[in-house]
Amino acid sequence: MADSQSNSSPDNSLDKAAPSEIVELRVRAFRLGDFGMIYDSYHPDSFFRAQFPDRDEYLRYAWNHLRRDFKIRRCVVLRERQLSSEEYQLIFYQSVEFADEVVESVEMGRFFSTSQGWRYHSSQKMLKDEFPGEPSEIDFSDFERLTDKVFF
């Protein structure tokens, strides 16, 4: 495995990061191909970790697929709120390119506290055509009104 694929990521900056900073760290990690940091930023009970229980398996997958096919063009945190000492939510706008197709979305990310700090658990996504107006106008209540509340 190449060094950029192994991505040991024992970096404790993740442990000290607020949820909005974790979003920024994840964007930077995707751009740099630091898929180890991406993996480590997920909450142990997340759907992602259920899909990829083995870190090395995810690193191989990401290195072979995401590294060349997935690009984050822009990501901006729009709103954030702490629901309790254990749960944090934020809304972010994201423009990504996947296999030469640009997709714009707004996501409500859920973070839960762990002994190592905040970790990303899941998101609820709305594609650009699912919300009226500008992304900066969206609020938590817009996600609460969705009939299809799928978190991934």
Side-chain angles (χ1 to χ4, degrees), residues 50-61:
Q51 183 179 358
F52 290 102
D54 182 74
R55 187 177 191 269
D56 288 337
E57 178 186 334
Y58 170 70
L59 295 178
R60 281 189 297 277
Y61 169 82

Side-chain angles (χ1 to χ4, degrees), residues 62-147:
W63 188 254
N64 291 325
H65 299 285
L66 297 178
R67 159 178 75 94
R68 66 174 178 268
D69 295 335
F70 183 83
K71 293 179 179 58
I72 298 175
R73 299 174 70 191
R74 185 168 184 232
C75 183
V76 179
V77 173
L78 303 172
R79 304 220 187 308
E80 46 190 303
R81 67 181 180 184
Q82 187 164 353
L83 298 178
S84 70
S85 62
E86 302 293 317
E87 184 176 1
Y88 201 96
Q89 294 178 342
L90 50 79
I91 296 174
F92 56 96
Y93 162 81
Q94 191 164 248
S95 174
V96 300
E97 190 175 326
F98 184 70
D100 297 324
E101 181 181 340
V102 175
V103 177
E104 292 182 80
S105 65
V106 177
E107 295 184 28
M108 182 182 69
R110 298 168 62 201
F111 291 78
F112 292 100
S113 181
T114 71
S115 60
Q116 289 86 31
W118 293 103
R119 292 297 182 266
Y120 178 67
H121 183 274
S122 55
S123 279
Q124 186 177 15
K125 181 187 287 191
M126 275 194 273
L127 296 176
K128 174 82 169 99
D129 59 355
E130 293 178 298
F131 57 88
E134 293 300 313
S136 61
E137 298 169 355
I138 201 157
D139 196 74
F140 291 99
S141 61
D142 293 302
F143 285 94
E144 292 165 5
R145 283 193 287 272
L146 288 178
T147 54

Side-chain angles (χ1 to χ4, degrees), residues 33-59:
D34 183 359
F35 298 109
M37 196 306 258
I38 298 297
Y39 189 90
D40 296 341
S41 71
Y42 275 97
H43 192 279
D45 296 331
S46 66
F47 305 120
F48 173 87
R49 288 277 189 98
Q51 183 179 358
F52 290 102
D54 182 74
R55 187 177 191 269
D56 288 337
E57 178 186 334
Y58 170 70
L59 295 178

